[in-house]
Amino acid sequence: AQEVGLPTCVAASNKLVGVGTLRGAVVLLDNKLQDVPKDNKPQVLSPGEEASAVTSAAFSIDGGSLLVGHKSGQLALWDLASQKVACVVQDVHSSPVLSLAFCRPSWQ
């Protein structure tokens, strides 16, 4: 079993629930399931290098991306289709990222 650490935060979309962890990973769960099936391991988004704890997360409006904030102040934008990091923002500030949200474009 992959050890991802204790849960630190939760984000939800219409299809998935993301649980951030102390070790910087996000566990993705199907929000329609009551429990994780024993024969089916959940998807884990885990950064390649050692990351600080996940302190906040938000799914994009279309559910295709997940923005993750870390204790170190780093932000990572995950493409959920490829399960790869699309963009990382670091060294902007040194405080933990405590809240994230995607906004709808004003023209919608």
Side-chain angles (χ1 to χ4, degrees), residues 41-57:
K41 293 182 181 177
Q43 296 173 332
V44 177
L45 304 177
S46 184
E49 67 244 17
E50 191 65 30
S52 64
V54 174
T55 50
S56 58

Side-chain angles (χ1 to χ4, degrees), residues 72-84:
S72 65
Q74 176 178 302
L75 292 166
L77 180 65
W78 287 86
D79 173 34
L80 296 178
S82 67
Q83 294 191 6
K84 295 185 188 272

